[in-house]
Amino acid sequence: MKIATYRAEDQTFYGVATEEGMIALSPDFSHWPTLRDVIEAGALHELAVAAKDKPVTHRAGSFDYLIPVPNPEKIICVGVNFPDRNAEYKDGQEAPPNPSLFIRFPRSFVAADQAVIRPPETPQLDYEGEIAIVIGKEGRRIAEADAYDHIAGITLCNEGTLRDWVRHAKFNVTQGKNWDRSGAMGPWLVPFTAPAQLDDVRLTTKVNGELRQDDRTSRMIFSIRRQIAYISTFTTLVPGDIIVTGTPTGAGARFDPPKFLKPGDVVEVEAEGIGTLRNTVEDE
């Protein structure tokens, strides 16, 4: 099942995505105004039941996707989380003992099928294809063995980055990771029901049909279980929080010469069992 937030008829809905279009379910669950409310109530399974045998309400082409989970309290991103990605830094250092983390703001993401934006201040807009998990149950100091019990669903992310701006200061990347509309998330949320959905999943990124990134989650330096356990040590994870779990090698900055994104490019992030997040690129 694929559950999406979308805009149609000047209204915001959530519902189930099908090949023919969307099955609106939010009108039937007015006590849960947004998909984040559904997640907090632990009721994604109720949407699946409600969608059974219900007709499509918004045909393909008649609606626009929105970011699946509106107004998350936290979006926490994991950096340098694949072996080859660590080697790209060419600093002679082994993988660190703990994950590298940074925060992104919701405003820095657009939805599926929308354009990510290259600002006039720099041409160095880069892509980073990633799998993102959405927290479904609150927790603090979560044990790795229990981590998957706290996941509500899975989505995709193009964690767009302005490369020169991540080096504007000595010890942070916040500036380069939070330009308005520089990344993308979606198109939908796939409910998490089994470890196989995350343990060994192929993740790819293509630009204009050219394969740029290709790896599997089983090769992560820090597993998703470890990420949840580590992050929840210092902050309480709450329903709707998003963890963006790391990108493989092959980002544009690592080519010689670099292959930064330009207007007209099409970026496709794909993962087994989740789907494809597709976005174009435009100048601001």
Side-chain angles (χ1 to χ4, degrees):
M1 182 176 66
K2 299 174 291 188
I3 304 171
T5 301
Y6 65 100
R7 187 82 177 165
E9 304 166 354
D10 294 323
Q11 298 182 66
T12 298
F13 299 87
Y14 60 78
V16 171
T18 72
E19 291 185 4
E20 293 76 29
M22 295 298 307
I23 302 172
L25 296 175
S26 44
D28 301 329
F29 295 97
S30 58
H31 51 297
W32 297 323
T34 72
L35 193 52
R36 180 178 172 181
D37 297 307
V38 177
I39 291 167
E40 190 166 2
L44 289 178
H45 65 285
E46 293 192 30
L47 301 189
V49 173
K52 188 176 181 180
D53 300 324
K54 190 171 182 178
V56 167
T57 55
H58 298 96
R59 293 285 172 185
S62 70
F63 64 89
D64 296 311
Y65 285 111
L66 300 177
I67 295 171
V69 182
N71 302 316
E73 180 184 291
K74 298 184 283 295
I75 302 174
I76 301 174
C77 303
V78 180
V80 197
N81 197 29
F82 283 84
D84 296 336
R85 183 86 171 111
N86 183 64
E88 281 181 336
Y89 281 77
K90 299 179 181 178
D91 56 8
Q93 297 181 7
E94 297 296 325
N98 295 304
S100 299
L101 304 176
F102 54 92
I103 303 298
R104 284 196 70 140
F105 311 139
R107 190 181 292 269
S108 69
F109 292 108
V110 300
D113 300 328
Q114 296 179 4
V116 296
I117 301 301
R118 187 177 72 168
E121 288 81 1
T122 172
Q124 294 189 18
L125 174 62
D126 207 352
Y127 55 88
E128 292 190 8
E130 309 194 30
I131 290 172
I133 60 166
V134 178
I135 297 298
K137 185 173 72 172
E138 182 175 315
R140 179 81 193 279
R141 299 186 178 93
I142 300 166
E144 287 190 40
D146 300 327
Y148 279 178
D149 296 337
H150 291 260
I151 300 176
I154 316 167
T155 189
L156 294 169
C157 179
N158 175 7
E159 207 263 296
T161 302
L162 282 304
R163 289 295 175 198
D164 49 347
W165 276 70
V166 299
R167 296 177 176 84
H168 268 199
K170 182 176 181 179
F171 194 66
N172 66 75
V173 299
T174 299
Q175 303 95 312
K177 294 289 190 176
N178 280 288
W179 286 78
D180 286 0
R181 299 178 292 166
S182 59
M185 194 174 293
W188 43 61
L189 184 69
V190 175
F192 179 72
T193 59
Q197 291 175 274
L198 289 174
D199 283 349
D200 186 31
V201 174
R202 186 185 182 196
L203 171 66
T204 64
T205 305
K206 295 178 181 177
V207 179
N208 303 326
E210 177 190 358
L211 184 65
R212 299 279 185 87
Q213 297 182 291
D214 188 358
D215 217 322
R216 304 192 71 88
T217 55
S218 56
R219 282 174 29 85
M220 284 180 170
I221 298 171
F222 303 104
S223 70
I224 292 171
R225 290 182 185 272
R226 168 72 170 137
Q227 294 175 35
I228 293 171
Y230 181 77
I231 293 168
S232 69
T233 304
F234 65 86
T235 187
T236 301
L237 291 173
V238 300
D241 283 352
I242 298 169
I243 300 175
V244 184
T245 60
T247 195
T249 188
R254 302 304 170 180
F255 288 89
D256 186 14
K259 296 182 178 181
F260 294 122
L261 296 173
K262 59 187 185 301
D265 284 348
V266 177
V267 184
E268 295 172 296
V269 180
E270 183 174 359
E272 295 171 333
I274 304 173
T276 302
L277 171 64
R278 181 184 183 277
N279 297 90
T280 55
V281 179
E282 293 180 2
D283 272 341
E284 184 177 338

